[in-house]
Amino acid sequence: MAAATTSYHLRPARGWLNDPNGITRVDGVWHVFYQHNPLAPAHGHISWGHATSRDLAHWEDEPIAFSPTPGGPDSFGCWSGVFVPGHDRPAVAYSGVVDSSAVSTICLRWGSPDLRDWGPPVVVGRTPSSDGIVIMRDPYVLEHQGRRLAVLGAGLADGGPAIALFDRECETDWRYIGLLVDDDPLLRRIGSADIWECPQLFPLGGRWVLIVSLNHQGRLCEVVAAIGDLVERDGRLRFIAESAHILDDGADLYAPQVALTDADPLLLGWVRQPDQDPAVRDHSGCLSLPRRLSLAGGEVRSRIDPGAATALIGDASALPAGRTVLADRRWAIDVLGDGARLSHPARGVVDLSPGDQVWVDGAVLELYRHSGIPATWRHDEPWELRCATDGTARAQAIIPRVP
């Protein structure tokens, strides 16, 4: 089967991509960093890649932001992290790892105003020895009632997952203050995990939302959104979930990052792809389309950023009744009437409703439901779209990405 590559999703020209990191906007320019191996399309030698955009649709590759420091706290890899606002100069925090045990410290780097040059890593926090924490990673920063805080994903000695909470009032000396969440039955009901990776904790619609990516015995599983509140219990801040659900019900989205903006929160996720043979393909992995989040019907829902959608879409044409193979196409498909569905030899059949939109980019298909949560799939075998009648769906061509 020929490999179907992507064209308008954010990805490096070559090498490996996984989790999005450090999303921020400076002087009208979006900066997105990501886990990156520039040497091969395989997970290893993880640096921070960097891309910029003014419209969240057309991306420019930037030089690698920073790489593992020989003999330093991130000598085995610069793992996932976040942009740290509120200072007189740019800063990012991430998990630094020194060996294959994956035991990490929290590293901080100070950056230049244009976010292209970064200083050496400074260790600002360590994996605590209390509360049974044996592994910890992926810092995400927030503020609550005037306090500067951070959450990190954790795994416990008893095999359960947790969220560790740090006070970062002193940005160069983060202080562990306890578990924000551990054995939560709502999260456990959705999927098993021995570590909750890439936690995102942010306000939305008057509530707090916690997003976690489930890692179970090394297997990357579902991404879960929990809706609840932050409360004080026994002198400690805790997240109490009221409901929880799958954030994306496809098979291939993982490790999303959320950035708070003047508009609705922005989310980008990793569209997974396995290691590649360099003789077949020189890159692996891409990021999802940029999504705006809202709270509706007790769910965290997302839609493609309207500005990005406008920038990507070109001419439109009606699709005929019957079967259309979505092979190696660059389309945004609007579902206008009843009787449309997607089918795939490995992923099955997905019914579509009026108002749904399907974005196709080579091997990647993203479905944005008019009412409900989205779905993301990646597979080299093409999908088929079946329309009951003429006019059921309209295809809008994607303006090609400019190299």
Side-chain angles (χ1 to χ4, degrees):
M1 181 192 310
T5 190
T6 53
S7 64
Y8 60 88
H9 283 69
L10 194 166
R11 65 169 174 83
R14 61 186 56 82
W16 169 270
L17 173 148
N18 60 294
D19 309 1
N21 298 152
I23 302 170
T24 190
R25 193 183 189 203
V26 178
D27 296 331
V29 176
W30 286 99
H31 295 257
V32 174
F33 302 88
Y34 51 86
Q35 299 281 273
H36 179 42
N37 178 3
L39 305 178
H43 188 258
H45 190 76
I46 294 298
S47 305
W48 271 35
H50 183 194
T52 54
S53 175
R54 289 190 173 274
D55 59 8
L56 291 170
H58 302 96
W59 296 93
E60 293 186 12
D61 289 334
E62 301 288 347
I64 292 170
F66 48 84
S67 298
T69 307
D74 56 6
S75 57
F76 192 74
C78 307
W79 287 20
S80 292
V82 67
F83 186 82
V84 181
H87 298 286
D88 59 1
R89 50 183 169 161
V92 294
Y94 62 96
S95 293
V97 178
V98 297
D99 58 38
S100 59
S101 70
V103 174
S104 69
T105 58
I106 304 166
C107 293
L108 184 82
R109 288 188 190 237
W110 300 105
S112 62
D114 62 4
L115 280 67
R116 287 174 172 83
D117 297 303
W118 296 88
V122 178
V123 175
V124 299
R126 300 182 183 276
T127 302
S129 57
S130 56
D131 292 330
I133 296 175
V134 293
I135 195 73
M136 183 184 78
R137 53 179 172 259
D138 311 332
Y140 183 81
V141 300
L142 65 143
E143 291 193 7
H144 174 61
Q145 296 182 349
R147 298 177 65 188
R148 296 196 305 190
L149 303 170
V151 291
L152 288 94
L156 306 179
D158 64 5
I163 301 296
L165 181 66
F166 280 75
D167 182 291
R168 56 182 189 89
E169 196 56 41
C170 176
E171 201 72 87
T172 57
D173 186 17
W174 294 18
R175 180 173 59 89
Y176 174 67
I177 54 177
L179 295 178
L180 183 76
V181 193
D182 47 356
D183 188 26
D184 186 282
L186 291 174
L187 289 164
R188 188 174 66 246
R189 189 179 306 146
I190 292 179
S192 299
D194 48 34
I195 182 169
W196 286 330
E197 295 192 297
C198 301
Q200 314 285 298
L201 180 64
F202 57 96
L204 183 65
R207 308 300 301 275
W208 282 88
V209 172
L210 174 68
I211 293 176
V212 293
S213 297
L214 308 185
N215 185 319
H216 185 59
Q217 297 178 355
R219 185 168 62 91
L220 309 184
C221 305
E222 298 89 353
V223 179
V224 179
I227 303 164
D229 296 296
L230 294 178
V231 300
E232 291 279 351
R233 285 195 176 174
D234 301 324
R236 285 190 170 187
L237 192 65
R238 301 281 287 181
F239 174 79
I240 306 301
E242 181 180 281
S243 63
H245 62 87
I246 298 297
L247 184 72
D248 182 293
D249 67 3
D252 297 306
L253 187 93
Y254 195 76
Q257 182 162 105
V258 174
L260 301 185
T261 70
D262 292 338
D264 293 333
L266 177 74
L267 178 144
L268 287 163
W270 170 34
V271 183
R272 292 185 292 165
Q273 187 176 12
D275 292 358
Q276 299 295 309
D277 180 350
V280 176
R281 184 182 298 162
D282 62 0
H283 64 275
S284 178
C286 69
L287 297 187
S288 70
L289 293 172
R291 302 177 181 183
R292 294 291 182 174
L293 302 181
S294 61
L295 202 58
E299 295 179 336
V300 178
R301 297 182 182 174
S302 56
R303 67 189 191 282
I304 183 172
D305 175 82
T310 299
L312 284 170
I313 289 174
D315 296 334
S317 60
L319 290 176
R323 168 179 171 266
T324 301
V325 179
L326 305 179
D328 197 30
R329 305 291 178 93
R330 276 69 181 158
W331 280 348
I333 300 169
D334 290 316
V335 180
L336 305 176
D338 294 319
R341 68 178 186 178
L342 294 166
S343 63
H344 191 273
R347 303 304 190 195
V349 175
V350 179
D351 290 324
L352 302 175
S353 299
D356 291 353
Q357 194 171 60
V358 180
W359 290 75
V360 182
D361 186 13
V364 173
L365 185 146
E366 295 185 51
L367 166 61
Y368 291 89
R369 296 184 173 95
H370 176 67
S371 178
I373 61 176
T376 306
W377 294 277
R378 179 171 208 137
H379 201 286
D380 283 333
E381 187 76 24
W383 289 78
E384 291 183 2
L385 174 69
R386 291 184 178 270
C387 296
T389 60
D390 289 346
T392 298
R394 175 183 59 188
Q396 303 179 82
I398 300 298
I399 299 173
R401 177 184 178 187
V402 178

